[in-house]
Amino acid sequence: MLEKLHGLNVTFGSPSGSDLIPPGACKSLNSSVIYANNEVDLAEVDIYGFDYDYTLAQYSNALNTLIYNTARDFLVEHFKYPEEIKTYDYLPNFAVRGLHYDIQKGLLMKIDAFHYIQPGTVYRGLTPLPDEEVLDLYGGTFHVPLQQDSGFYGKGPKVKQFMDIFSIPEMTLMAVANDFFITNDIEYDPVHLFKDVSEAIGMVHIKGYMYKWIMQDLVALPSDSQQAAVLKKVFFSGSRDKGMRHMVGENWRDFFDVVIVQADKPHFFTDCIKPFRRLDGNGDLRWEKITSLEKGQIYKQGNLFDFLRLTGWRGSKVLYFGDHLYSDLADLMLRHGWRTAAIVPELEHETKVVSAHRYAVNLTWLQALTGLMERLQIHRDAESRDVFVEWQKEREELRVMTKNLFNPQFGSIFRTLHNPTYFSRRLNRFSDIYMASLSCLLNYDLSYTFYPRRTPLQHEAPLWMDQLCTGCMKTPHLEDMANIR
């Protein structure tokens, strides 16, 4: 029996091995689908709210390069870092969203939903650390204690989680700065480096460089009609002004009942101090007391408590879209009971990988091999132990191969080796529904109900018939898109 099983292990690498993929397995996921963590009936939604950056506005890849280059130059010119750091160009495929950074150790890593570091995903600078060294640094375990891990908004005393898309150039610059000092054998304090890089990135945003780039057309915004189509659908059943005119049209304010800029999230949701101020047609601040929020006007700052008092918009009749799980969605769901929708652009790439034949073959054999190991481990004879060790080695190789299909350094943003990532856990906690882009909403009627798939728990048997993943289904109202637009 062992020889036959072992023979399967040897011959699986041949082309015929792909025949082991179950016949009912999904072969093509649809990245235009909206996925549900919680049941949401759009017929019950009266108010739709939208974040701007990476929700209404999707920027070109040039933005990350510009943020990185400008912050890198700040390190040299403002913080007096060595000029040689400017020789490091931006690495667009190095980091992924949702990673954690150990501030004191200067390590970038991926952590799962149970606070365990995924082996093989810990980087000091641009170099991966051996698992043995990671274990030594963390006291013989891959576990990061709760008191050291990131807090509610991803900012812990020793570990920070990088949750938004804007953080990708920051993580890359952090890795590059560490790498420079390590490769040149220069002593440095990782804590001060973290603070300097964070401040340099912050200066890019505070000084308004990003919106200057948009005004100068250095960063492309999509000019198609999808944003306008979404706004028309849900509402007819400065630099942001230019961006909205570019994406939606000159009359973009007509789509919104209330427009708020510089809200300072997440403090907008938790503080009750900053009052609303109205901006005039030139973008200058007016100082009269705000007693109502009027359509066609633009307001600055404010707080959610005054917003709720002035609008009366409360509870599950509001659906808010945002890309940042913490600053956009968490408080709205947990404190105020709003429905929340997460925009996750990475879904487009991840669904392509999951739909690939190579991924299906790797995952099928990985699952089969794990099941064989589970059964074989009860046998204690020498031959069984040798086969088990060989299978264990092959399983680790398959895990690495599967990870690399997403990102060679850190893998999928949704999964570690077998568990959901910390990012995935927060996505499930703080969003009722999630999608690759706002335009996915065009594929659904506004009376549509999103039902989460019932997936079996570890102690349950899949007795129900409907086990199709959401992504296997055709979007129900795709044929209506031409009429909507």
Side-chain angles (χ1 to χ4, degrees):
M1 178 65 177
L2 289 178
E3 291 178 355
K4 291 181 180 179
L5 289 175
H6 188 51
L8 176 63
N9 178 19
V10 173
T11 59
F12 188 82
S14 64
S16 61
S18 61
D19 295 336
L20 292 177
I21 299 175
C26 175
K27 294 180 175 62
S28 180
L29 294 178
N30 188 341
S31 61
S32 297
V33 164
I34 294 178
Y35 301 91
N37 294 319
N38 193 18
E39 187 170 318
V40 176
D41 183 358
L42 293 182
E44 297 179 352
V45 176
D46 293 333
I47 305 296
Y48 288 81
F50 304 91
D51 180 43
Y52 181 76
D53 292 322
Y54 283 110
T55 299
L56 281 172
Q58 293 290 335
Y59 302 107
S60 65
N61 294 331
L63 178 60
N64 282 348
T65 302
L66 288 168
I67 293 174
Y68 170 88
N69 288 341
T70 306
R72 181 198 59 191
D73 293 347
F74 277 146
L75 281 182
V76 175
E77 297 161 7
H78 181 78
F79 294 95
K80 307 305 178 183
Y81 275 53
E83 187 80 21
E84 292 80 2
I85 288 182
K86 288 188 176 182
T87 63
Y88 284 81
D89 293 327
Y90 179 61
L91 303 171
N93 298 314
F94 175 73
V96 298
R97 189 152 59 122
L99 300 179
H100 284 71
Y101 185 80
D102 191 312
I103 298 169
Q104 295 179 330
K105 296 180 176 66
L107 302 177
L108 190 64
M109 66 191 75
K110 188 165 77 168
I111 294 179
D112 72 11
F114 300 94
H115 296 247
Y116 280 88
I117 301 167
Q118 178 178 340
T121 67
V122 180
Y123 276 73
R124 176 177 283 145
L126 301 174
T127 304
L129 254 62
D131 293 341
E132 296 77 14
E133 187 172 346
V134 176
L135 287 171
D136 184 58
L137 287 170
Y138 288 92
T141 179
F142 285 108
H143 185 259
V144 179
L146 180 63
Q147 65 271 18
Q148 294 182 17
D149 205 347
S150 56
F152 187 78
Y153 288 113
K155 299 176 181 178
K158 297 182 180 180
V159 178
K160 175 183 177 180
Q161 186 182 20
F162 290 98
M163 186 59 86
D164 67 342
I165 300 173
F166 284 129
S167 66
I168 293 177
E170 182 176 0
M171 286 185 279
T172 306
L173 185 57
M174 204 83 69
V176 160
N178 277 285
D179 189 78
F180 171 80
F181 289 115
I182 293 168
T183 55
N184 289 279
D185 197 25
I186 301 173
E187 292 186 4
Y188 70 104
D189 181 359
V191 175
H192 282 121
L193 185 147
F194 170 80
K195 292 179 179 178
D196 290 344
V197 171
S198 297
E199 188 171 343
I201 291 287
M203 289 171 70
V204 176
H205 297 288
I206 292 173
K207 291 180 179 290
Y209 279 92
M210 192 176 82
Y211 300 113
K212 291 177 184 177
W213 296 329
I214 295 171
M215 296 290 285
Q216 297 167 4
D217 294 322
L218 297 177
V219 176
L221 287 168
S223 58
D224 57 46
S225 60
Q226 289 189 335
Q227 284 86 348
V230 171
L231 297 179
K232 287 177 182 177
K233 184 172 184 177
V234 300
F235 288 105
F236 296 140
S237 60
S239 57
R240 279 188 169 85
D241 182 70
K242 178 180 179 180
M244 290 302 295
R245 282 190 282 113
H246 177 77
M247 294 183 295
V248 178
E250 294 291 337
N251 63 335
W252 67 267
R253 294 190 198 184
D254 295 343
F255 293 119
F256 298 93
D257 292 307
V258 178
V259 178
I260 302 170
V261 300
Q262 297 181 25
D264 191 25
K265 298 174 297 180
H267 303 295
F268 178 87
F269 300 129
T270 56
D271 298 341
C272 54
I273 300 173
K274 292 181 180 178
F276 282 105
R277 297 296 182 202
R278 185 171 67 87
L279 300 180
D280 63 19
N282 297 320
D284 297 325
L285 204 62
R286 301 295 299 269
W287 291 94
E288 72 268 17
K289 183 177 181 180
I290 302 300
T291 57
S292 63
L293 299 176
E294 299 176 5
K295 187 179 179 70
Q297 300 295 320
I298 296 181
Y299 299 91
K300 180 179 179 180
Q301 296 181 344
N303 63 82
L304 185 63
F305 301 94
D306 284 343
F307 178 85
L308 296 175
R309 176 176 57 82
L310 293 170
T311 63
W313 296 346
R314 299 178 182 276
S316 59
K317 292 186 178 298
V318 184
L319 176 60
Y320 189 82
F321 294 77
D323 68 288
H324 197 302
L325 302 182
Y326 295 139
S327 62
D328 290 341
L329 306 181
D331 283 307
L332 290 176
M333 168 178 275
L334 299 178
R335 294 172 183 260
H336 304 286
W338 287 18
R339 294 295 198 176
T340 56
I343 303 299
V344 189
E346 295 91 342
L347 275 170
E348 186 171 354
H349 169 67
E350 299 245 351
T351 52
K352 287 180 181 178
V353 173
V354 172
S355 299
H357 178 74
R358 183 181 177 188
Y359 176 85
V361 171
N362 283 356
L363 186 62
T364 301
W365 178 229
L366 178 61
Q367 293 296 91
L369 191 59
T370 302
L372 292 173
M373 291 172 62
E374 187 176 32
R375 289 161 176 77
L376 181 61
Q377 64 182 334
I378 63 173
H379 299 281
R380 300 299 180 182
D381 59 279
E383 184 182 6
S384 297
R385 298 308 302 166
D386 289 343
V387 172
F388 185 88
V389 170
E390 188 174 339
W391 283 352
Q392 191 173 40
K393 180 181 177 181
E394 183 174 358
R395 181 171 178 257
E396 292 305 312
E397 292 173 351
L398 282 167
R399 283 176 156 187
V400 172
M401 290 169 59
T402 304
K403 172 184 80 76
N404 290 349
L405 292 175
F406 295 96
N407 174 279
Q409 290 76 235
F410 301 102
S412 167
I413 72 168
F414 299 102
R415 279 197 176 276
T416 57
L417 297 176
H418 46 265
N419 290 327
T421 59
Y422 198 92
F423 173 87
S424 189
R425 177 186 183 184
R426 303 310 250 182
L427 177 67
N428 294 337
R429 181 68 182 91
F430 298 142
S431 66
D432 291 293
I433 56 177
Y434 64 99
M435 65 208 75
S437 71
L438 194 61
S439 61
C440 294
L441 196 62
L442 293 172
N443 303 328
Y444 298 85
D445 186 85
L446 292 186
S447 62
Y448 189 84
T449 300
F450 296 101
Y451 297 100
R453 283 289 176 269
R454 183 185 177 100
T455 55
L457 301 174
Q458 293 294 319
H459 65 276
E460 292 180 324
L463 301 177
W464 47 93
M465 295 300 295
D466 183 10
Q467 281 295 292
L468 287 176
C469 63
T470 307
C472 293
M473 300 178 64
K474 293 182 179 179
T475 50
H477 302 285
L478 199 58
E479 65 277 7
D480 297 334
M481 291 178 68
N483 298 326
I484 293 170
R485 295 177 183 176

